Protein backbone atom coordinates (compact mmCIF):
# COMPACT_ATOMS: atom_id res chain seq x y z
CA UNK A 1 0.00 0.00 0.00
CA UNK A 2 1.18 3.52 -0.82
CA UNK A 3 2.38 5.35 2.31
CA UNK A 4 0.76 8.46 3.80
CA UNK A 5 4.09 10.29 3.45
CA UNK A 6 4.08 9.73 -0.32
CA UNK A 7 0.45 10.90 -0.55
CA UNK A 8 1.21 13.99 1.55
CA UNK A 9 4.22 14.85 -0.59
CA UNK A 10 2.18 14.53 -3.79
CA UNK A 11 -0.69 16.76 -2.72
CA UNK A 12 1.64 19.35 -1.17
CA UNK A 13 3.50 19.65 -4.48
CA UNK A 14 0.21 20.17 -6.32
CA UNK A 15 -0.89 22.70 -3.70
CA UNK A 16 2.33 24.68 -4.15
CA UNK A 17 1.80 24.82 -7.94
CA UNK A 18 -1.97 25.31 -8.16
CA UNK A 19 -2.83 27.03 -4.83
CA UNK A 20 -5.76 24.57 -4.54
CA UNK A 21 -6.05 22.84 -1.16
CA UNK A 22 -6.34 19.06 -1.19
CA UNK A 23 -7.06 16.32 1.31
CA UNK A 24 -7.13 12.53 1.06
CA UNK A 25 -9.40 10.32 3.19
CA UNK A 26 -9.48 6.59 3.74
CA UNK A 27 -12.67 4.53 3.56
CA UNK A 28 -13.19 4.75 7.33
CA UNK A 29 -13.46 8.53 7.15
CA UNK A 30 -9.99 9.28 8.53
CA UNK A 31 -7.70 11.91 6.99
CA UNK A 32 -4.62 10.33 5.40
CA UNK A 33 -3.02 13.61 4.33
CA UNK A 34 -4.23 17.19 3.90
CA UNK A 35 -3.01 20.70 3.07
CA UNK A 36 -5.83 22.29 5.11
CA UNK A 37 -8.15 21.62 8.03
CA UNK A 38 -11.92 21.53 7.48
CA UNK A 39 -14.96 20.76 9.65
CA UNK A 40 -17.28 20.82 6.66
CA UNK A 41 -16.38 17.31 5.48
CA UNK A 42 -17.21 14.61 8.03
CA UNK A 43 -16.60 10.83 8.16
CA UNK A 44 -20.34 10.35 7.59
CA UNK A 45 -20.19 12.36 4.33
CA UNK A 46 -17.18 10.35 3.19
CA UNK A 47 -18.92 7.05 3.97
CA UNK A 48 -22.03 8.15 2.08
CA UNK A 49 -19.98 9.15 -0.97
CA UNK A 50 -18.09 5.83 -0.93
CA UNK A 51 -21.38 3.92 -1.14
CA UNK A 52 -22.77 6.10 -3.91
CA UNK A 53 -22.42 5.12 -7.61
CA UNK A 54 -21.02 8.55 -8.54
CA UNK A 55 -17.29 9.05 -9.20
CA UNK A 56 -17.38 12.69 -8.03
CA UNK A 57 -19.59 14.91 -5.92
CA UNK A 58 -19.66 18.64 -5.10
CA UNK A 59 -20.49 19.73 -1.56
CA UNK A 60 -20.28 23.50 -1.27
CA UNK A 61 -16.73 24.47 -2.19
CA UNK A 62 -15.51 20.87 -1.94
CA UNK A 63 -15.04 18.54 -4.90
CA UNK A 64 -15.02 14.92 -3.72
CA UNK A 65 -13.53 12.32 -6.07
CA UNK A 66 -12.84 8.60 -5.79
CA UNK A 67 -9.31 7.22 -6.13
CA UNK A 68 -9.62 3.76 -7.66
CA UNK A 69 -7.47 0.68 -8.01
CA UNK A 70 -8.90 -1.70 -10.62
CA UNK A 71 -12.46 -0.42 -10.05
CA UNK A 72 -12.08 -0.66 -6.26
CA UNK A 73 -12.26 2.54 -4.19
CA UNK A 74 -9.12 3.05 -2.08
CA UNK A 75 -9.29 6.73 -1.11
CA UNK A 76 -11.48 9.80 -1.38
CA UNK A 77 -9.85 13.03 -2.55
CA UNK A 78 -11.25 16.44 -1.63
CA UNK A 79 -10.24 19.46 -3.72
CA UNK A 80 -11.38 22.69 -2.04
CA UNK A 81 -12.20 25.64 -4.25
CA UNK A 82 -14.82 27.06 -6.57
CA UNK A 83 -15.00 26.76 -10.35
CA UNK A 84 -13.25 24.57 -12.88
CA UNK A 85 -9.75 25.09 -11.47
CA UNK A 86 -10.40 23.12 -8.28
CA UNK A 87 -12.17 20.39 -10.23
CA UNK A 88 -9.31 20.03 -12.77
CA UNK A 89 -6.62 20.04 -10.08
CA UNK A 90 -8.61 17.40 -8.22
CA UNK A 91 -8.76 15.22 -11.34
CA UNK A 92 -4.99 15.63 -11.82
CA UNK A 93 -4.40 14.65 -8.19
CA UNK A 94 -6.60 11.56 -8.57
CA UNK A 95 -4.74 10.54 -11.73
CA UNK A 96 -1.37 11.03 -10.04
CA UNK A 97 -2.39 9.00 -6.98
CA UNK A 98 -3.76 6.18 -9.11
CA UNK A 99 -0.51 6.00 -11.07
CA UNK A 100 1.46 5.94 -7.80
CA UNK A 101 -0.74 3.13 -6.50
CA UNK A 102 -0.10 1.07 -9.63
CA UNK A 103 3.65 1.74 -9.44
CA UNK A 104 3.91 0.81 -5.75
CA UNK A 105 1.72 -2.23 -6.22
CA UNK A 106 3.83 -3.43 -9.14
CA UNK A 107 6.99 -2.81 -7.15
CA UNK A 108 5.65 -4.90 -4.26
CA UNK A 109 4.48 -7.63 -6.62
CA UNK A 110 7.89 -7.71 -8.35
CA UNK A 111 9.68 -7.95 -5.03
CA UNK A 112 7.42 -10.81 -3.99
CA UNK A 113 7.89 -12.47 -7.39
CA UNK A 114 11.69 -12.35 -7.34
CA UNK A 115 11.91 -13.52 -3.72
CA UNK A 116 9.75 -16.57 -4.50
CA UNK A 117 11.69 -17.16 -7.70
CA UNK A 118 15.03 -17.16 -5.87
CA UNK A 119 13.73 -19.55 -3.21
CA UNK A 120 12.16 -21.98 -5.74
CA UNK A 121 8.69 -21.36 -4.32
CA UNK A 122 6.95 -21.21 -7.70
CA UNK A 123 5.75 -23.68 -10.28
CA UNK A 124 7.23 -23.32 -13.75
CA UNK A 125 3.91 -22.28 -15.30
CA UNK A 126 3.41 -19.64 -12.57
CA UNK A 127 6.86 -18.15 -13.23
CA UNK A 128 6.05 -17.28 -16.82
CA UNK A 129 2.43 -16.26 -16.19
CA UNK A 130 3.37 -13.84 -13.42
CA UNK A 131 6.42 -12.55 -15.31
CA UNK A 132 4.18 -11.67 -18.25
CA UNK A 133 1.76 -9.76 -16.00
CA UNK A 134 4.64 -7.88 -14.36
CA UNK A 135 6.27 -7.10 -17.74
CA UNK A 136 9.44 -9.03 -16.89
CA UNK A 137 11.35 -10.44 -19.85
CA UNK A 138 11.85 -14.19 -19.58
CA UNK A 139 14.48 -14.97 -22.22
CA UNK A 140 17.33 -12.60 -21.39
CA UNK A 141 20.76 -13.19 -19.83
CA UNK A 142 20.97 -12.59 -16.09
CA UNK A 143 23.35 -13.23 -13.20
CA UNK A 144 22.77 -13.02 -9.45
CA UNK A 145 25.13 -11.06 -7.19
CA UNK A 146 25.16 -11.44 -3.40
CA UNK A 147 26.40 -8.46 -1.38
CA UNK A 148 27.18 -9.31 2.24
CA UNK A 149 27.39 -6.42 4.68
CA UNK A 150 28.47 -6.39 8.32
CA UNK A 151 24.83 -6.70 9.57
CA UNK A 152 24.66 -3.06 10.66
CA UNK A 153 21.11 -1.81 9.96
CA UNK A 154 22.20 1.71 9.09
CA UNK A 155 24.85 0.39 6.73
CA UNK A 156 22.38 -2.09 5.25
CA UNK A 157 20.08 0.82 4.47
CA UNK A 158 22.95 2.77 2.93
CA UNK A 159 23.92 -0.29 0.90
CA UNK A 160 20.39 -0.66 -0.50
CA UNK A 161 20.18 3.05 -1.29
CA UNK A 162 23.54 3.07 -3.06
CA UNK A 163 22.76 -0.08 -5.05
CA UNK A 164 19.41 1.38 -6.12
CA UNK A 165 21.32 4.38 -7.42
CA UNK A 166 23.83 2.20 -9.30
CA UNK A 167 21.36 -0.26 -10.84
CA UNK A 168 17.96 0.59 -12.28
CA UNK A 169 14.84 -1.53 -12.73
CA UNK A 170 14.26 0.44 -15.94
CA UNK A 171 17.07 -1.53 -17.58
CA UNK A 172 15.98 -4.86 -16.09
CA UNK A 173 18.03 -4.91 -12.87
CA UNK A 174 16.37 -5.77 -9.58
CA UNK A 175 17.50 -5.48 -5.96
CA UNK A 176 15.91 -7.45 -3.13
CA UNK A 177 16.73 -9.54 -0.05
CA UNK A 178 15.61 -12.90 1.31
CA UNK A 179 17.43 -12.74 4.65
CA UNK A 180 19.05 -10.23 7.02
CA UNK A 181 22.60 -10.97 5.92
CA UNK A 182 22.69 -10.31 2.19
CA UNK A 183 21.43 -7.90 -0.42
CA UNK A 184 20.67 -9.54 -3.76
CA UNK A 185 21.19 -7.97 -7.16
CA UNK A 186 19.59 -9.70 -10.15
CA UNK A 187 21.51 -8.13 -13.04
CA UNK A 188 20.18 -8.19 -16.56
CA UNK A 189 23.04 -8.54 -19.04
CA UNK A 190 23.70 -7.65 -22.65
CA UNK A 191 24.25 -10.55 -25.10
CA UNK A 192 27.95 -9.69 -25.35
CA UNK A 193 28.53 -9.57 -21.57
CA UNK A 194 30.82 -12.29 -20.19
CA UNK A 195 32.44 -13.21 -16.88
CA UNK A 196 35.02 -10.46 -17.26
CA UNK A 197 32.10 -8.03 -17.21
CA UNK A 198 30.68 -9.70 -14.07
CA UNK A 199 34.04 -9.35 -12.34
CA UNK A 200 34.09 -5.64 -13.23
CA UNK A 201 30.58 -5.15 -11.83
CA UNK A 202 31.48 -6.96 -8.58
CA UNK A 203 34.66 -4.90 -8.09
CA UNK A 204 32.75 -1.69 -8.79
CA UNK A 205 30.24 -2.59 -6.06
CA UNK A 206 33.05 -3.26 -3.56
CA UNK A 207 34.81 0.01 -4.40
CA UNK A 208 31.63 2.11 -4.33
CA UNK A 209 30.52 0.64 -0.99
CA UNK A 210 33.92 1.38 0.47
CA UNK A 211 34.06 4.97 -0.80
CA UNK A 212 30.42 6.09 -0.62
CA UNK A 213 28.84 4.00 2.17
CA UNK A 214 32.05 3.64 4.21
CA UNK A 215 31.44 -0.07 4.63
CA UNK A 216 33.35 -3.19 3.69
CA UNK A 217 31.35 -5.74 1.75
CA UNK A 218 31.99 -9.12 0.24
CA UNK A 219 30.49 -9.82 -3.18
CA UNK A 220 29.84 -13.18 -4.84
CA UNK A 221 28.12 -14.04 -8.09
CA UNK A 222 26.79 -17.12 -9.86
CA UNK A 223 26.93 -18.17 -13.49
CA UNK A 224 25.19 -16.41 -16.36
CA UNK A 225 21.75 -17.90 -17.11
CA UNK A 226 19.61 -17.35 -20.17
CA UNK A 227 16.13 -18.07 -18.79
CA UNK A 228 14.12 -16.59 -15.95
CA UNK A 229 13.50 -20.03 -14.45
CA UNK A 230 17.29 -20.47 -14.01
CA UNK A 231 17.76 -17.36 -11.85
CA UNK A 232 17.42 -19.47 -8.69
CA UNK A 233 20.32 -21.61 -9.95
CA UNK A 234 22.56 -18.55 -10.26
CA UNK A 235 21.44 -17.47 -6.76
CA UNK A 236 22.40 -20.84 -5.22
CA UNK A 237 25.77 -20.67 -7.00
CA UNK A 238 26.35 -17.16 -5.64
CA UNK A 239 25.54 -18.40 -2.12
CA UNK A 240 28.06 -21.20 -2.47
CA UNK A 241 30.64 -18.80 -3.89
CA UNK A 242 30.15 -16.48 -0.91
CA UNK A 243 30.67 -19.32 1.61
CA UNK A 244 33.62 -20.82 -0.24
CA UNK A 245 35.24 -17.40 -0.59
CA UNK A 246 34.96 -16.71 3.14
CA UNK A 247 36.38 -20.13 4.06
CA UNK A 248 39.24 -20.54 1.60
CA UNK A 249 39.95 -17.13 0.07
CA UNK A 250 39.30 -14.76 2.97
CA UNK A 251 41.66 -12.13 1.58
CA UNK A 252 39.50 -11.69 -1.54
CA UNK A 253 36.47 -9.39 -1.54
CA UNK A 254 34.99 -10.89 -4.73
CA UNK A 255 34.17 -14.57 -5.27
CA UNK A 256 32.94 -16.05 -8.54
CA UNK A 257 31.30 -19.47 -8.75
CA UNK A 258 33.10 -20.25 -12.00
CA UNK A 259 36.55 -19.68 -10.44
CA UNK A 260 36.23 -21.45 -7.08
CA UNK A 261 38.60 -24.22 -8.09
CA UNK A 262 39.37 -26.87 -5.52
CA UNK A 263 37.49 -24.90 -2.85
CA UNK A 264 34.22 -25.93 -4.51
CA UNK A 265 35.16 -29.62 -4.25
CA UNK A 266 36.19 -29.43 -0.60
CA UNK A 267 33.03 -27.48 0.29
CA UNK A 268 30.91 -30.39 -0.88
CA UNK A 269 32.83 -33.10 1.01
CA UNK A 270 31.07 -34.91 3.89
CA UNK A 271 32.52 -33.97 7.28
CA UNK A 272 33.35 -37.60 8.11
CA UNK A 273 35.48 -37.90 4.98
CA UNK A 274 37.27 -34.69 5.91
CA UNK A 275 38.11 -36.04 9.37
CA UNK A 276 39.46 -39.29 7.92
CA UNK A 277 41.65 -37.35 5.46
CA UNK A 278 43.06 -35.00 8.14
CA UNK A 279 43.73 -37.88 10.51
CA UNK A 280 45.54 -39.70 7.72
CA UNK A 281 47.74 -36.68 6.93
CA UNK A 282 48.44 -35.17 10.34
CA UNK A 283 47.39 -37.74 12.91
CA UNK A 284 47.21 -35.97 16.27
CA UNK A 285 49.32 -32.99 15.06
CA UNK A 286 46.59 -31.07 13.24
CA UNK A 287 47.81 -27.49 12.57
CA UNK A 288 44.66 -25.77 13.85
CA UNK A 289 46.36 -22.49 14.62
CA UNK A 290 49.46 -21.51 12.67
CA UNK A 291 51.41 -18.38 13.55
CA UNK A 292 50.90 -15.41 11.21
CA UNK A 293 54.59 -15.54 10.33
CA UNK A 294 54.33 -19.23 9.38
CA UNK A 295 51.18 -18.69 7.31
CA UNK A 296 52.73 -15.73 5.50
CA UNK A 297 55.82 -17.80 4.74
CA UNK A 298 53.80 -20.74 3.43
CA UNK A 299 51.52 -18.62 1.26
CA UNK A 300 54.39 -16.64 -0.21
CA UNK A 301 56.32 -19.87 -0.86
CA UNK A 302 53.34 -21.30 -2.75
CA UNK A 303 52.87 -18.05 -4.70
CA UNK A 304 56.46 -18.33 -5.90
CA UNK A 305 56.07 -21.94 -7.06
CA UNK A 306 58.23 -23.39 -4.22
CA UNK A 307 61.15 -21.15 -5.17
CA UNK A 308 63.23 -20.64 -2.00
CA UNK A 309 65.42 -17.82 -3.33
CA UNK A 310 62.55 -15.70 -4.69
CA UNK A 311 60.44 -16.26 -1.57
CA UNK A 312 63.25 -15.22 0.79
CA UNK A 313 63.85 -12.10 -1.35
CA UNK A 314 60.17 -11.06 -1.22
CA UNK A 315 59.95 -11.75 2.53
CA UNK A 316 63.20 -9.85 3.14
CA UNK A 317 64.70 -12.76 5.08
CA UNK A 318 67.90 -14.72 4.62
CA UNK A 319 67.60 -17.93 2.62
CA UNK A 320 68.74 -19.97 5.63
CA UNK A 321 65.98 -18.36 7.78
CA UNK A 322 63.37 -19.45 5.26
CA UNK A 323 64.79 -22.97 5.11
CA UNK A 324 64.70 -23.10 8.91
CA UNK A 325 61.01 -22.15 8.95
CA UNK A 326 60.19 -24.80 6.34
CA UNK A 327 62.12 -27.48 8.24
CA UNK A 328 60.39 -26.48 11.48
CA UNK A 329 57.03 -26.94 9.73
CA UNK A 330 58.19 -30.34 8.45
CA UNK A 331 59.14 -31.40 11.96
CA UNK A 332 55.64 -30.59 13.28
CA UNK A 333 53.56 -31.92 10.36
CA UNK A 334 55.76 -34.50 8.64
CA UNK A 335 55.41 -32.68 5.30
CA UNK A 336 58.28 -31.08 3.40
CA UNK A 337 56.59 -28.37 1.34
CA UNK A 338 59.73 -27.97 -0.78
CA UNK A 339 58.56 -31.06 -2.67
CA UNK A 340 55.60 -30.77 -5.01
CA UNK A 341 53.65 -33.74 -3.61
CA UNK A 342 53.96 -32.64 0.02
CA UNK A 343 53.22 -29.01 -0.91
CA UNK A 344 50.04 -30.09 -2.71
CA UNK A 345 49.01 -32.32 0.20
CA UNK A 346 49.64 -29.55 2.74
CA UNK A 347 47.72 -26.96 0.70
CA UNK A 348 44.65 -29.21 0.38
CA UNK A 349 44.87 -30.34 4.00
CA UNK A 350 45.03 -26.76 5.23
CA UNK A 351 41.91 -25.93 3.20
CA UNK A 352 40.11 -28.96 4.65
CA UNK A 353 41.06 -27.87 8.18
CA UNK A 354 39.62 -24.40 7.49
CA UNK A 355 36.44 -26.00 6.14
CA UNK A 356 36.06 -28.13 9.27
CA UNK A 357 36.56 -25.07 11.48
CA UNK A 358 33.83 -23.30 9.47
CA UNK A 359 31.42 -26.21 10.00
CA UNK A 360 32.20 -26.23 13.72
CA UNK A 361 31.41 -22.49 13.92
CA UNK A 362 27.99 -23.10 12.36
CA UNK A 363 27.12 -25.61 15.07
CA UNK A 364 27.56 -22.91 17.68
Amino acid sequence: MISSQVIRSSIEELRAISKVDLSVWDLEGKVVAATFESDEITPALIAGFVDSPADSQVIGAHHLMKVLDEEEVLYILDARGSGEDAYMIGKIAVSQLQHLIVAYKERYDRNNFFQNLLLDNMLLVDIYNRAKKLHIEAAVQRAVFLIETDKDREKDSATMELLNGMFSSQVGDYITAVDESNVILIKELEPEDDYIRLEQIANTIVDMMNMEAMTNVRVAYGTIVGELKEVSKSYKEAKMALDVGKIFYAEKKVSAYNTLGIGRLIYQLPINLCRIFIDEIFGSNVPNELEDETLTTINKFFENNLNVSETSRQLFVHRNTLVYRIEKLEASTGLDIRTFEDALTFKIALMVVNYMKYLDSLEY
Side-chain angles (χ1 to χ4, degrees):
M1 182 65 71
I2 186 172
S3 70
S4 59
Q5 290 180 334
V6 172
I7 294 175
R8 184 180 300 111
S9 176
S10 297
I11 64 174
E12 285 177 350
E13 286 178 5
L14 280 173
R15 168 68 180 81
I17 296 169
S18 67
K19 309 306 179 186
V20 173
D21 278 310
L22 302 162
S23 64
V24 178
W25 301 65
D26 64 19
L27 302 188
E28 296 178 356
K30 296 178 181 177
V31 177
V32 177
T35 63
F36 71 103
E37 294 184 8
S38 172
D39 296 329
E40 300 170 30
I41 302 300
T42 64
L45 282 174
I46 294 294
F49 178 50
V50 170
D51 294 334
S52 73
D55 289 333
S56 63
Q57 182 177 338
V58 178
I59 302 175
H62 299 270
H63 298 263
L64 301 182
M65 304 175 191
K66 293 177 179 178
V67 180
L68 306 176
D69 176 26
E70 296 181 355
E71 306 302 322
E72 180 184 351
V73 181
L74 289 188
Y75 301 107
I76 301 299
L77 181 126
D78 173 18
R80 187 178 70 170
S82 58
E84 284 291 315
D85 286 350
Y87 177 77
M88 291 303 296
I89 295 301
K91 294 293 285 184
I92 291 171
V94 167
S95 176
Q96 182 172 334
L97 289 174
Q98 289 183 163
H99 280 92
L100 282 171
I101 289 166
V102 171
Y104 272 74
K105 185 175 163 185
E106 184 172 288
R107 180 178 176 182
Y108 172 78
D109 286 347
R110 284 194 173 201
N111 188 62
N112 182 267
F113 170 79
F114 278 114
Q115 287 184 347
N116 282 299
L117 179 66
L118 292 170
L119 297 174
D120 281 332
N121 289 340
M122 299 175 67
L123 297 174
L124 185 60
V125 65
D126 292 334
I127 291 175
Y128 290 103
N129 285 341
R130 289 191 62 189
K132 187 175 181 180
K133 289 179 181 178
L134 294 170
H135 309 291
I136 299 170
E137 290 288 336
V140 296
Q141 288 195 148
R142 292 181 174 89
V144 175
F145 291 77
L146 274 184
I147 301 96
E148 184 185 64
T149 62
D150 53 10
K151 299 182 181 180
D152 183 307
R153 287 190 176 182
E154 290 185 6
K155 290 185 177 180
D156 281 352
S157 178
T159 299
M160 288 289 285
E161 185 177 342
L162 187 55
L163 285 172
N164 279 312
M166 294 172 63
F167 304 98
S168 171
S169 59
Q170 294 179 349
V171 295
D173 300 336
Y174 201 80
I175 297 165
T176 186
V178 295
D179 56 43
E180 296 179 353
S181 303
N182 308 309
V183 178
I184 301 165
L185 166 65
I186 302 170
K187 182 81 179 77
E188 185 170 312
L189 305 171
E190 298 295 331
E192 66 273 13
D193 286 343
D194 55 15
Y195 289 103
I196 295 175
R197 174 63 180 147
L198 298 192
E199 183 77 11
Q200 292 171 345
I201 293 170
N203 283 311
T204 299
I205 293 172
V206 170
D207 293 340
M208 289 296 291
M209 290 299 160
N210 189 28
M211 290 187 294
E212 301 294 333
M214 301 299 178
T215 183
N216 291 317
V217 299
R218 185 180 292 275
V219 179
Y221 57 88
T223 56
I224 297 172
V225 297
E227 281 285 338
L228 192 60
K229 65 182 180 181
E230 297 175 326
V231 166
S232 63
K233 169 177 169 286
S234 186
Y235 168 64
K236 291 170 187 173
E237 292 168 346
K239 283 188 68 177
M240 178 185 287
L242 189 66
D243 284 344
V244 172
K246 287 191 293 185
I247 299 168
F248 305 120
Y249 315 109
E251 73 283 356
K252 295 182 179 180
K253 294 298 183 182
V254 174
S255 302
Y257 180 81
N258 64 317
T259 61
L260 293 179
I262 196 170
R264 184 194 293 112
L265 296 176
I266 295 173
Y267 182 79
Q268 298 177 85
L269 289 176
I271 185 64
N272 289 338
L273 191 60
C274 292
R275 291 195 178 101
I276 292 170
F277 174 72
I278 292 302
D279 185 61
E280 179 183 315
I281 301 301
F282 296 119
S284 59
N285 298 318
V286 180
N288 287 314
E289 296 294 337
L290 291 172
E291 296 178 357
D292 289 341
E293 181 183 79
T294 304
L295 276 174
T296 301
T297 300
I298 294 167
N299 290 330
K300 187 62 69 175
F301 189 55
F302 288 159
E303 285 176 18
N304 288 293
N305 299 316
L306 315 186
N307 187 309
V308 174
S309 299
E310 182 60 23
T311 302
S312 61
R313 186 185 69 81
Q314 291 187 19
L315 290 175
F316 303 103
V317 299
H318 193 276
R319 177 189 174 94
N320 290 343
T321 302
L322 177 61
V323 171
Y324 169 75
R325 292 179 185 175
I326 293 172
E327 289 177 346
K328 184 180 177 182
L329 182 68
E330 181 184 2
S332 63
T333 64
L335 297 172
D336 183 0
I337 61 172
R338 288 170 293 186
T339 65
F340 175 77
E341 185 174 346
D342 280 4
L344 181 62
T345 301
F346 187 85
K347 175 70 173 178
I348 294 172
L350 205 57
M351 292 176 75
V352 172
V353 168
N354 288 336
Y355 175 54
M356 291 170 64
K357 287 165 65 177
Y358 167 76
L359 292 179
D360 288 340
S361 70
L362 293 181
E363 293 179 1
Y364 295 100

